[in-house]
Amino acid sequence: MKIKCLCIVFLMTSMFSFGQAKDYMFGQLVDSVQNEPIPFATIKIKNRSLGVISNIDGTFKIPLRYKALGEVVEISCLGYLSKEIPMANLFEGRSNIIILEPGNLELNEAIVSANIKKLSAQQIVKIAVNSIPQNFPKDAFSLVGYYRDYQVKNKAYTNLNEAIVKVLDVGFERNNNFNNQYQLISYTKNSDFQVDTFAEQPYDYKRYNKVIPGAKMNNDGGNELLTLSIHDAIRNYGVESFSFVDDLSSDFIEKHRFRLRGKSNYEKESIYEIDMVFKNDNYRARGKIFVNTDDFAIHKLDYAVYKRKKPGVFSSAENPNERFTDGFKKTNGEMLYHIQTEYTRGGNGKMFLNYISFYNKILVQRPAEFKSRFAINLEDNSFRIRLNKIPANLDRIKSGNFKISYKNVSVPIKDVWFREDERVFVVCPHTSYEATRELLKDLFLERKNLEVSEVKYAYSAIKDDAGNELDKRKWEYMHQYREFFTQETRFMQDEIGDTSDLMNKDQPLDSPLQPITDKDMKSEYWKNTPLPGLQN
């Protein structure tokens, strides 16, 4: 059976404000069966190497100037037949919804074909991995593309950074891309979207301000673009990439079970679609790998990891339902991360990066809204607890609401009172007890090295008018994305030359130490900035 693709374009009133509606045409790809957005489809101007990839919500934008030139839009995506749409058929200033009908897998033919060659799904994958040196470019080349990293909270984009980046790749003869160089052609911290400076901070596994639940990412400096690059398991075959793919050339094949689903077509090439599964006591991973039936080139690696056990204390987060989403839609389990990498046929028949998307879940532990500052008063040998708000139900707060220990020994409390004008609790230890006096005799001495670190304290049932517990920090789920979409590929004819404009790989993209060069900027490059939202 041949893959059939129905593409319908119709007018729809949008719910967002087009900041530059006069400059762009906007669209969204939707699956006709599931009624869901189609992410990561390639949208190109016909007979030009330039284009974009649809966003996670299926949206995209194309400069309006191409309509005036009478251009045609080409849309291609694995599982769908390539489609051409004259830009004259697209509406300006409104959202163009493009509905695609999924293609069918030729299951029987694929199995017969595999049996003739006596190849199992695992053998196909092994040949594909071993064929990377032949199918991917050995010589140096460059990619120019649209890069972004952002977070998602309440289904809205947050902390959106965008750039046009030139990647100077040394070629696949090098086993990894750690020697690659980068140039920032443009960079923007998009202020049209929400900014959450607390969620922007690096991962913190000491104070647990920001972590990945059930996983860990080391803070070794650098920036999110570098983090994205090292998670391209195809480009970095032969070295460890990420759990549980690890080394694509060895560990990946040994750890996973593979099942041949069938064969489909993509841009006139025949493709094997193979499912993969990994399980251990704590995690499960599943995904797909798409392999060319002729030369065994890898077109796409789609890999997601899920936690098999509940996260315990993290289930008490402010928004626990976000455990089972990726920020945009529900997931079949608690997804920790999802990496999608697609390569497409380019110059000399070699495979070049089309896009890479790296998602991971985030747990942020926000500072307490109702908080205290603990101090030792040497004048009257008491403890002082200063608050940022007046507590509710002061008449109900007693000495039993305070727990104080010194050198791991509980300190008995004689009395507690509140100075409302100072918003301070005065807590007096029971120094009439000989054991307490002996315990605290060194604590209240005036000296430089007060043993304050030996004092531990906790409160119970002390809340403000909003119901916030004193010093209670709250967990919140968020979602992190890093994505790169190639717009142009070319072989490098010359050496890099002047290295003063190369990206500083040890610094964040927004660092003032980052050079930005626009000498290679073309009007054809554009940022596919996500759209704030669409009416369904």
Side-chain angles (χ1 to χ4, degrees):
M1 296 175 61
K2 293 184 178 180
I3 296 177
K4 296 180 180 180
C5 178
L6 174 65
C7 180
I8 305 173
V9 182
F10 64 91
L11 180 64
M12 183 180 119
T13 302
S14 65
M15 293 295 290
F16 55 84
S17 172
F18 293 104
Q20 293 178 317
K22 66 181 187 301
D23 298 325
Y24 291 95
M25 302 184 71
F26 298 84
Q28 184 181 36
L29 304 180
V30 178
D31 186 297
S32 65
V33 177
Q34 301 297 327
N35 194 29
E36 293 181 350
I38 301 174
F40 308 136
T42 302
I43 299 106
K44 287 186 176 181
I45 307 300
K46 187 177 181 179
N47 298 324
R48 297 176 184 262
S49 61
L50 299 161
V52 294
I53 307 295
S54 60
N55 297 319
I56 192 73
D57 55 3
T59 59
F60 64 91
K61 67 179 184 180
I62 301 175
L64 190 58
R65 62 178 177 270
Y66 291 117
K67 182 176 183 179
L69 295 174
E71 300 287 5
V72 174
V73 175
E74 291 182 327
I75 300 175
S76 59
C77 182
L78 280 165
Y80 300 88
L81 188 64
S82 298
K83 186 69 178 182
E84 296 184 2
I85 305 173
M87 288 192 68
N89 293 353
L90 301 178
F91 295 99
E92 299 179 26
R94 296 178 183 269
S95 173
N96 295 275
I97 305 302
I98 301 173
I99 298 185
L100 304 180
E101 185 175 329
N104 296 316
L105 288 172
E106 301 176 24
L107 181 60
N108 294 333
E109 181 182 344
I111 292 178
V112 171
S113 177
N115 286 337
I116 291 175
K117 297 179 181 180
K118 298 181 180 180
L119 296 176
S120 66
Q122 184 178 23
Q123 289 172 323
I124 293 173
V125 174
K126 188 170 185 178
I127 293 173
V129 172
N130 291 338
S131 299
I132 288 177
Q134 289 75 45
N135 288 321
F136 294 79
K138 294 181 180 180
D139 298 325
F141 62 94
S142 66
L143 306 172
V144 178
Y146 167 56
Y147 166 80
R148 67 182 175 216
D149 60 71
Y150 57 92
Q151 295 166 343
V152 177
K153 177 181 176 182
N154 299 327
K155 295 186 177 181
Y157 293 93
T158 303
N159 296 331
L160 175 63
N161 297 283
E162 299 179 281
I164 299 296
V165 177
K166 184 176 184 180
V167 182
L168 305 168
D169 196 302
V170 295
F172 274 62
E173 277 194 329
R174 304 282 183 93
N175 282 342
N176 57 64
N177 62 2
F178 300 113
N179 292 320
N180 290 350
Q181 299 293 344
Y182 304 84
Q183 290 175 325
L184 289 179
I185 297 177
S186 73
Y187 168 78
T188 304
K189 183 179 286 290
N190 197 316
S191 59
D192 292 336
F193 295 86
Q194 180 184 355
V195 175
D196 184 341
T197 55
F198 189 83
E200 279 186 308
Q201 66 180 305
Y203 293 102
D204 178 3
Y205 291 89
K206 292 183 179 179
R207 294 170 296 176
Y208 278 79
N209 287 331
K210 176 182 173 182
V211 298
I212 302 174
K216 188 173 183 179
M217 186 177 296
N218 295 323
N219 293 319
D220 297 327
N223 53 59
E224 299 288 7
L225 174 58
L226 266 295
T227 299
L228 176 64
S229 298
I230 64 177
H231 285 80
D232 183 349
I234 298 173
R235 178 64 188 85
N236 296 319
Y237 79 101
V239 297
E240 289 192 6
S241 52
F242 55 87
S243 303
F244 296 90
V245 168
D246 296 321
D247 184 343
L248 188 70
S249 64
S250 56
D251 303 321
F252 171 64
I253 297 170
E254 297 300 324
K255 288 181 178 180
H256 294 76
R257 290 187 292 109
F258 299 93
R259 181 177 70 89
L260 181 62
R261 293 193 70 236
K263 186 172 66 173
S264 61
N265 294 316
Y266 177 63
E267 296 186 341
K268 301 179 181 180
E269 295 194 62
S270 180
I271 308 293
Y272 286 128
E273 183 175 329
I274 298 173
D275 286 338
M276 67 186 83
V277 176
F278 165 86
K279 289 182 181 179
N280 65 15
D281 292 340
N282 298 314
Y283 303 94
R284 63 182 175 90
R286 65 185 184 193
K288 295 180 180 180
I289 185 169
F290 297 81
V291 177
N292 192 286
T293 61
D294 294 326
D295 62 3
F296 294 91
I298 299 174
H299 285 259
K300 183 176 181 179
L301 177 64
D302 185 333
Y303 196 83
V305 173
Y306 300 80
K307 203 172 192 323
R308 298 191 70 181
K309 296 183 178 180
K310 292 184 177 180
V313 66
F314 299 145
S315 61
S316 63
E318 283 274 274
N319 51 350
N321 291 336
E322 289 300 306
R323 287 172 51 197
F324 305 104
T325 80
D326 61 5
F328 295 99
K329 62 183 184 298
K330 290 184 179 180
T331 56
N332 186 20
E334 186 181 3
M335 182 190 290
L336 300 183
Y337 58 88
H338 186 193
I339 300 174
Q340 299 179 72
T341 309
E342 182 177 303
Y343 279 76
T344 189
R345 195 77 64 180
N348 295 343
K350 302 297 184 181
M351 305 295 291
F352 292 88
L353 179 67
N354 192 27
Y355 72 82
I356 177 171
S357 173
F358 174 22
Y359 158 79
N360 64 264
K361 193 171 270 86
I362 300 174
L363 266 171
V364 175
Q365 191 174 199
R366 302 281 182 183
E369 295 185 26
F370 184 32
K371 50 191 174 183
S372 71
R373 188 174 64 186
F374 190 91
I376 298 173
N377 191 294
L378 301 180
E379 295 180 1
D380 59 4
N381 292 355
S382 68
F383 303 107
R384 303 294 174 92
I385 303 170
R386 184 177 299 278
L387 311 180
N388 66 330
K389 301 179 184 179
I390 302 294
N393 301 321
L394 271 171
D395 56 327
R396 299 181 185 178
I397 299 176
K398 310 297 181 183
S399 60
N401 297 102
F402 301 85
K403 303 295 181 184
I404 300 176
S405 65
Y406 179 57
K407 295 184 177 180
N408 296 322
V409 178
S410 179
V411 176
I413 298 173
K414 179 181 180 181
D415 199 6
V416 173
W417 67 88
F418 187 71
R419 293 180 177 175
E420 192 163 343
D421 58 333
E422 300 179 9
R423 291 186 300 190
V424 171
F425 277 112
V426 179
V427 181
C428 300
H430 223 309
T431 53
S432 60
Y433 297 157
E434 182 178 350
T436 304
R437 289 198 306 272
E438 183 66 22
L439 174 66
L440 301 178
K441 67 178 182 178
D442 294 330
L443 180 62
F444 293 111
L445 295 178
E446 187 170 356
R447 55 182 177 173
K448 292 182 179 180
N449 57 339
L450 284 173
E451 298 176 347
V452 179
S453 61
E454 298 285 345
V455 179
K456 308 297 180 185
Y457 54 91
Y459 319 116
S460 62
I462 301 179
K463 301 181 180 181
D464 62 10
D465 289 332
N468 297 306
E469 294 184 36
L470 185 59
D471 284 347
K472 181 72 172 181
R473 302 181 64 185
K474 296 179 180 179
W475 290 102
E476 180 181 48
Y477 282 101
M478 294 184 67
H479 310 272
Q480 174 78 53
Y481 284 85
R482 309 162 189 84
E483 296 169 335
F484 178 84
F485 309 116
T486 301
Q487 291 190 352
E488 185 178 35
T489 302
R490 61 190 182 197
F491 286 100
M492 292 169 57
Q493 303 296 327
D494 304 312
E495 296 296 326
I496 293 175
D498 183 13
T499 60
S500 62
D501 59 0
L502 294 179
M503 186 187 79
N504 188 334
K505 294 193 282 189
D506 295 327
Q507 296 292 326
L509 293 184
D510 61 354
S511 168
L513 300 178
Q514 287 290 13
I516 297 179
T517 175
D518 59 359
K519 64 182 182 181
D520 288 328
M521 188 63 177
K522 298 180 181 178
S523 60
E524 286 83 359
Y525 301 147
W526 71 90
K527 296 178 181 178
N528 192 32
T529 303
L531 308 180
L534 292 172
Q535 180 182 4
N536 190 351

